[in-house]
Amino acid sequence: MEHQPPADTSAMIQAIINALPVPIFVKDSKGIYVYCNIPFENYVGKKASELVGYSVHDLWEPELAKIYHEADKRLFDSGGEEQYEARVKYADGSIHDVMFHKAVFPFLNKDYMAGAILDISARKAAERKLEQVALFDTLTGAASRYHLYTALNDACKKAASLDCLIAVMSIDLDGFKDVNDTFGHMAGDEALLIAADRIRDSIRDSDTLARPGGDEFVIVFDELDNKDTVFSVAKRILQKLSDKILLQGKSVKLSASIGIAFYPDHGTSQKDLLKYADLALYKSKRAGKGCFSSMNLPA
């Protein structure tokens, strides 16, 4: 038995378009709405009767209407299609990441533009989460190794442009392995969190705190007035890290060794600054730990 199409195909198509959870609209070449579905009504907060027959200039505030009109005109002039992402507010006040799909099409010797708005909020949220993981250490919230390199490269370029001073401080928690061995890795993570918070409390919001790995932290100081500022921060960090913490009911005292490198004294590249900061860190360890150092350069 052959399947017969519905008696009113156009009514079925209309029902399908309204059932799709995708706002759909159609405009003519003058920018006047000639059709929209129910999801589009919900998106803009207006009924079709308030939209069809009206242009963007009739419906939206002048600045927004101008943007819409110019975008529509470009597409009609090119006669093609386009898609782009945007962050928009729905009529109910909720914010959505969306993908606009628009295309010009002929119908009865006239050109029209059809548009569909696809909600991509879930995908964009997942992308932001992945970006967060790539840029920040999941335990302490400090910048990741990748983020550190990017921030330091940017700081070097700015320093070269503005002829200003920047510094890199490398911090290593002394005896941290003993904490892990004695109390376990969960307590070690807690100690790292406390250390990160104490270091963060010692620096400016504009400085970048990174945790490249393990018990190592690195700070990038941008646009410094003088070196003494960094030395004062080093003393403050050493003092804060030496304050006792409580792990599993027992009082534990941390300490740290710190190495400092300056732009342009120790180099003008990310690689050189990190190298000299690490060399200065080892110098502090050789000096007995719990102190900070900066490498002396040959005359």
Side-chain angles (χ1 to χ4, degrees):
M1 179 178 177
E2 293 184 2
H3 292 285
Q4 297 297 321
D8 190 346
T9 304
S10 62
M12 183 177 184
I13 293 173
Q14 179 64 50
I16 292 171
I17 293 174
N18 280 325
L20 292 171
V22 178
I24 295 173
F25 62 92
V26 179
K27 297 178 187 177
D28 66 16
S29 58
K30 295 179 180 178
I32 295 173
Y33 288 95
V34 297
Y35 171 81
C36 71
N37 66 350
I38 292 175
F40 188 79
E41 293 180 343
N42 297 334
Y43 162 56
V44 298
K46 296 179 184 292
K47 293 294 184 182
S49 59
E50 301 174 90
L51 294 165
V52 173
Y54 296 94
S55 75
V56 292
H57 297 290
D58 299 320
L59 297 166
W60 319 119
E61 59 188 50
E63 187 175 342
L64 188 58
K66 182 182 178 182
I67 294 172
Y68 286 162
H69 175 73
E70 290 177 351
D72 292 345
K73 187 177 184 304
R74 282 196 305 272
L75 190 54
F76 274 112
D77 289 344
S78 68
E81 61 182 54
E82 68 176 4
Q83 55 182 290
Y84 57 89
E85 295 180 6
R87 197 163 171 80
V88 300
K89 179 186 287 188
Y90 276 41
D92 63 4
S94 59
I95 304 297
H96 296 251
D97 290 295
V98 300
M99 173 77 79
F100 282 92
H101 291 261
K102 297 178 181 178
V104 173
F105 68 96
F107 183 72
L108 298 179
N109 298 318
K110 290 185 178 181
D111 284 338
Y112 295 88
M113 181 189 71
I117 306 171
L118 303 181
D119 194 311
I120 57 171
S121 298
R123 174 170 68 80
K124 297 301 288 186
E127 288 177 359
R128 283 191 285 270
K129 186 174 181 180
L130 286 173
E131 182 179 346
Q132 184 79 6
V133 170
L135 294 178
F136 296 95
D137 169 43
T138 54
L139 175 64
T140 64
S144 66
R145 184 184 298 272
Y146 169 79
H147 192 181
L148 165 64
Y149 292 160
T150 302
L152 186 49
N153 270 329
D154 291 344
C156 287
K157 290 177 183 177
K158 185 190 294 185
S161 174
L162 302 178
D163 192 26
C164 61
L165 180 72
I166 67 173
V168 175
M169 181 183 292
S170 185
I171 306 169
D172 191 72
L173 300 182
D174 297 325
F176 181 73
K177 183 177 181 299
D178 294 337
V179 173
N180 273 337
D181 292 344
T182 303
F183 299 100
H185 289 286
M186 288 186 65
D189 286 349
E190 185 180 351
L192 287 171
L193 276 169
I194 294 171
D197 287 341
R198 291 181 179 181
I199 295 171
R200 195 177 282 113
D201 287 344
S202 304
I203 62 178
R204 306 170 299 180
D205 291 339
S206 59
D207 300 325
T208 300
L209 171 63
R211 180 186 170 225
D215 59 345
E216 177 190 2
F217 294 92
V218 175
I219 305 170
V220 178
F221 297 87
D222 201 358
E223 292 188 65
L224 292 167
D225 293 327
N226 54 68
K227 296 179 181 179
D228 288 340
T229 300
V230 181
F231 297 146
S232 295
V233 171
K235 292 175 184 177
R236 187 159 59 246
I237 289 174
L238 289 174
Q239 178 58 51
K240 283 182 175 289
L241 290 179
S242 67
D243 291 342
K244 292 180 180 179
I245 62 174
L246 200 63
L247 294 178
Q248 297 179 359
K250 294 184 179 180
S251 181
V252 177
K253 187 173 182 180
L254 296 174
S255 68
S257 296
I258 295 177
I260 303 168
F262 291 100
Y263 175 108
D265 293 4
H266 297 104
T268 57
S269 69
Q270 167 220 106
K271 181 179 178 181
D272 285 342
L273 291 172
L274 288 172
K275 180 183 77 172
Y276 274 98
D278 282 342
L279 288 173
L281 170 66
Y282 297 137
K283 179 180 176 182
S284 294
K285 286 187 175 293
R286 289 194 300 270
K289 304 180 180 180
C291 62
F292 68 89
S293 304
S294 184
M295 295 300 294
N296 296 322
L297 296 173

